[in-house]
Amino acid sequence: MATPARRVLKSVFGFSSFRPHQEEIVSAILSGRDLFAALPTGGGKSLCYQLPSLLLEQLTVVISPLIALMEDQVDAARQMGVPAAYLNSSLDAESAREVYRGIRSGDIRLLYVSPERLAVTTFRESLKEWGVSLFAVDEAHCISEWGHEFRPEYRNLTVLRREFPGIPVAAFTATATPRVQEDVVAALGLRDPLAIRGNFDRPEIFYRVRRKDRVLDQIREFVRGHPDEPGIIYRGTRKAVEETAAALQRGGISAVPYHAGLSDALRRTNQRAFVRDDVLVVVATIAFGMGIDKSNVRWVVHGDLPRSIEAYYQETGRAGRDGEHADTCLFYSPADIARIRYHIDRMEVAAEREQAEHNLRDVLRFVESGACRRTQLLRHFGQDHDGSCPRCDVCAGEIVLTDRTVDAQKVMSAIMRTGERFGGHYIAQIVTGVGDERVEKFGHHRLPTFGVGADHGKRWWLGLIADLEAAGLIGRRDGERSGLELKPAGSDVLFGRARFETRDRSAEEGDAAESRPRRGRGAVDGSERVASREAVRRGGAKERGVPAPGDGEAPVWRDDQESLFQCLRAVRRTLAREAGVPPYMVFSDRTLKTLVRNRPDSTAALLRVHGVGERKAERYGEAVLAAIREFLSSGECPG
Ligand code: ADP
Ligand code: MG
């Protein structure tokens, strides 16, 4: 049945079906009910309030935390013909007056504002005068101190219920923890809200975790494995951001840094260059991300251990918003743990410290465990998965688990017998049986554990010690008597009450390649799988039958299709430049792929393509149809 909402979905947004929960949310909003919706990043939350704004009687006001986010959303909405505008401190007086005029005349239906703006009494008076149909609070987790992105200005929003008691409020977030939900519902005073928690699975994302081993090289390899694809690299410190960006630039890769130490102007320039596909890679601290709606981010790399699963999930979630395949890789080392611990130790509020400790433990369990990554991630959000996704390193058979109980016992026994006073190097020395003056001074060469592990080298034992530490079996003692000590979980293994399994690191060190099932070639960074996908995209005939990303029917992507895709990308770039918006706002990657498959030859055919609404057809249709025509007749690309 073609409800008004469905009609608008096709004619304005160019989509033929709703994503999960969108329709339910839209009808709740249209019926005036309060709402709390937790949908994953890329789940399509904007549409849930943009679409109703076209059907509601009066103004829809969206509260959004970042100026850049508002600007992008308004640009994207206008591309589709949704009459939107924003009011924030970046507007000069004349532009603001113009927005006010637009609202009064009814030309503007969707208004984005900052929480600071809502704190201004005279502005609220204006809202009352204009009449508001809906308040939509985007990134609503910002109101919660328990969220990972608390913003004090969001506390201003308690004013909504007080001063606009009759107007429905709809809260949206990608943060799924129940605690945040409770906070948001309470702070906004939502009344019997329709509470939606979407499926947080992002099947298009491939999850992979690797031990660091010259991480700059690993990152460079990864990026080389994704030619022409935009991506984000997260690093834990500003210094690491700068180093990584410089290393990529030296390698001829267009990359820009982004962190809080750069000037506002430079940050804006770099972000813009990335969003507009002018550079392919942004290397950033966690300061980067919220408000990046760029839908064609094809990969996300973590060059250091993230602070929490929640943060990791949000950050990786920035890849593949368009629903096309996306790749991720997390590199970590025990030094990362030390860096995070250092910060934790300096936290003053006990509750925060505990939370941070807890987060770190979760992250360590995630990276070290040999269980399906997706299952672990979803369990973190209280959602089930059957434990075998085909799209993570564990399920893809890249991770080999080996029973290392006996070796773990050797290490921990050495730690115990030397009095829990020594670091990893010394312990490895004892286990491998390498004596020196110090060993003899302590008489440790006479210990029964001395030399019990001579079958492996020192580096191997250092790796195992790191695994034991990451798994929480042993820990580092601080202060005067620094050294490795046994944790309760370690005692369980030492005394035979539990087993210890870990990933087979020898494969990653490259000296036991034959022990890696289902992976023949050498790449440890994921470039192998990507290489084959690239081959498909680039039309490798030998790869026939391999599904093209994002399509259920697994058609083959041929050479000529790849050429047309590249041609349409060029055309998109030109159109975007002329329109002054990022390319992804003109057409998503998915739209381009559908154009390549369907090769529309008329406006009617064009309007059937995913993501092409009436406004876009009107604006860009001629250029696109002409490009396809010309490409088909002459093989030339006009773009
Ligand atoms: P979120 O805010 O939930 O992270 P967005 O609102 O930015 O997600 O939407 C992510 C992408 O999904 C956008 O590119 C948007 O155009 C697309 N999208 C939204 N709804 C649909 C739909 N019903 N069908 C296809 N694509 C959609
Ligand atoms: Mg959003």
Side-chain angles (χ1 to χ4, degrees), residues 4-5 8 25-33 47-62 83 106 108-110 131-136 167-170:
V8 172
I25 292 172
V26 166
S27 34
I29 287 179
L30 290 176
S31 74
R33 184 165 175 196
L47 184 137
C48 296
Y49 50 79
Q50 288 175 344
L51 193 157
S53 79
L54 294 164
L55 297 171
L56 289 167
E57 205 84 340
Q58 290 174 311
L59 198 59
T60 293
V61 177
V62 183
I108 290 171
R109 311 289 301 275
L110 180 64
V132 173
S133 280
L134 167 71
F135 287 107
I167 316 282
V169 175

Side-chain angles (χ1 to χ4, degrees), residues 206-211 329-330 332 365-373 376 391-402 467 501-508 512-513 515-519 523-526:
F206 193 102
Y207 297 100
R208 177 182 282 109
V209 179
R210 284 284 179 276
R211 256 326 211 339
C329 191
L330 158 57
Y332 77 102
R365 201 172 309 127
F366 172 74
V367 296
E368 278 304 324
S369 126
C372 165
R373 310 277 180 203
Q376 294 186 75
R391 290 183 51 73
C392 77
D393 53 355
V394 175
C395 294
E398 296 175 15
I399 304 292
V400 181
L401 291 181
T402 317
D467 282 353
E501 273 197 338
T502 188
R503 302 160 30 182
D504 186 353
R505 280 167 306 98
S506 50
E508 278 171 43
S515 71
R516 250 185 293 149
R518 279 185 273 165
R519 276 168 64 87
V524 293
D525 60 342

Side-chain angles (χ1 to χ4, degrees), residues 9 13 15-19 22 39-50 73 80 138-139 174 293 295 321-323 584 588 590 610:
L9 181 71
F13 295 86
F15 302 142
S16 38
S17 58
F18 282 105
R19 290 236 177 109
Q22 281 180 330
L39 294 182
T41 306
K45 291 183 284 294
S46 335
L47 184 137
C48 296
Y49 50 79
Q50 288 175 344
Q73 292 230 352
M80 295 176 294
D138 203 7
E139 314 286 356
D293 281 353
S295 69
R321 277 172 184 260
D322 53 11
Y584 78 88
S588 71
R590 174 167 285 195
H610 171 94

Side-chain angles (χ1 to χ4, degrees), residues 30 93 98 148 188 204 255 266 299 306 336 355 370 400 409 476 539 543 588 631:
L30 290 176
E98 204 174 304
H148 56 115
L188 292 175
E204 63 278 8
L266 188 53
W299 52 265
D336 294 349
Q355 182 69 41
V400 181
Q409 287 167 339
R476 251 166 241 255
E543 301 276 1
S588 71
F631 181 87

Side-chain angles (χ1 to χ4, degrees), residues 49-321:
Y49 50 79
Q50 288 175 344
L51 193 157
S53 79
L54 294 164
L55 297 171
L56 289 167
E57 205 84 340
Q58 290 174 311
L59 198 59
T60 293
V61 177
V62 183
I63 294 95
S64 172
L66 294 174
I67 290 177
L69 178 58
M70 289 183 215
E71 293 176 357
D72 281 358
Q73 292 230 352
V74 167
D75 280 348
R78 284 193 184 150
Q79 284 297 306
M80 295 176 294
V82 177
Y86 59 82
L87 283 172
N88 62 40
S89 56
S90 76
L91 280 192
D92 57 51
E94 178 46 34
S95 316
R97 265 196 299 278
E98 204 174 304
V99 172
Y100 274 68
R101 273 197 297 274
I103 296 169
R104 285 214 182 78
S105 68
D107 288 341
I108 290 171
R109 311 289 301 275
L110 180 64
L111 178 68
Y112 286 77
V113 299
S114 58
E116 288 88 345
R117 177 72 48 150
L118 267 190
V120 178
T121 316
T122 50
F123 176 69
R124 294 199 303 276
E125 293 309 316
S126 303
L127 284 179
K128 286 169 199 165
E129 185 192 311
W130 300 327
V132 173
S133 280
L134 167 71
F135 287 107
V137 181
D138 203 7
E139 314 286 356
H141 60 281
C142 292
I143 207 168
S144 167
E145 295 186 39
W146 294 106
H148 56 115
E149 288 171 321
F150 174 57
R151 297 176 70 91
E153 318 84 73
Y154 258 60
R155 287 282 165 193
N156 294 339
L157 300 186
T158 52
V159 80
L160 292 178
R161 193 56 356 132
R162 249 183 295 130
E163 289 195 19
F164 300 84
I167 316 282
V169 175
F172 296 89
T173 177
T175 300
T177 55
R179 186 166 204 177
V180 169
Q181 175 170 346
E182 280 165 31
D183 266 14
V184 171
V185 170
L188 292 175
L190 301 185
R191 278 184 304 242
D192 178 32
L194 173 66
I196 301 275
R197 284 157 82 63
N199 180 351
F200 268 71
D201 191 10
R202 297 284 309 277
E204 63 278 8
I205 297 181
F206 193 102
Y207 297 100
R208 177 182 282 109
V209 179
R210 284 284 179 276
R211 256 326 211 339
K212 276 189 207 179
D213 183 10
R214 296 201 183 87
V215 71
L216 290 183
D217 291 347
Q218 290 174 308
I219 291 175
R220 205 162 35 211
E221 276 300 296
F222 182 98
V223 176
R224 290 221 173 101
H226 296 72
D228 291 336
E229 297 186 337
I232 305 172
I233 298 166
Y234 283 105
R235 296 296 321 252
T237 62
R238 294 175 190 182
K239 184 160 159 269
V241 166
E242 293 289 349
E243 268 170 21
T244 309
L248 291 176
Q249 286 158 4
R250 275 198 306 278
I253 294 159
S254 77
V256 289
Y258 187 104
H259 57 71
L262 301 175
S263 71
D264 280 356
L266 188 53
R267 278 211 308 269
R268 253 199 313 277
T269 307
N270 288 353
Q271 170 168 339
R272 210 177 152 87
F274 176 65
V275 168
R276 300 193 173 221
D277 289 352
D278 293 335
V279 300
L280 276 182
V281 179
V282 65
V283 189
T285 56
I286 53 165
F288 181 82
M290 183 164 58
I292 306 301
D293 281 353
K294 181 180 167 72
S295 69
N296 62 334
V297 175
R298 294 266 66 88
W299 52 265
V300 169
V301 163
H302 282 81
D304 301 289
L305 203 64
R307 299 150 297 150
S308 66
I309 294 288
E310 177 77 44
Y312 170 74
Y313 204 66
Q314 298 298 336
E315 285 151 10
T316 51
R318 291 176 182 133
R321 277 172 184 260

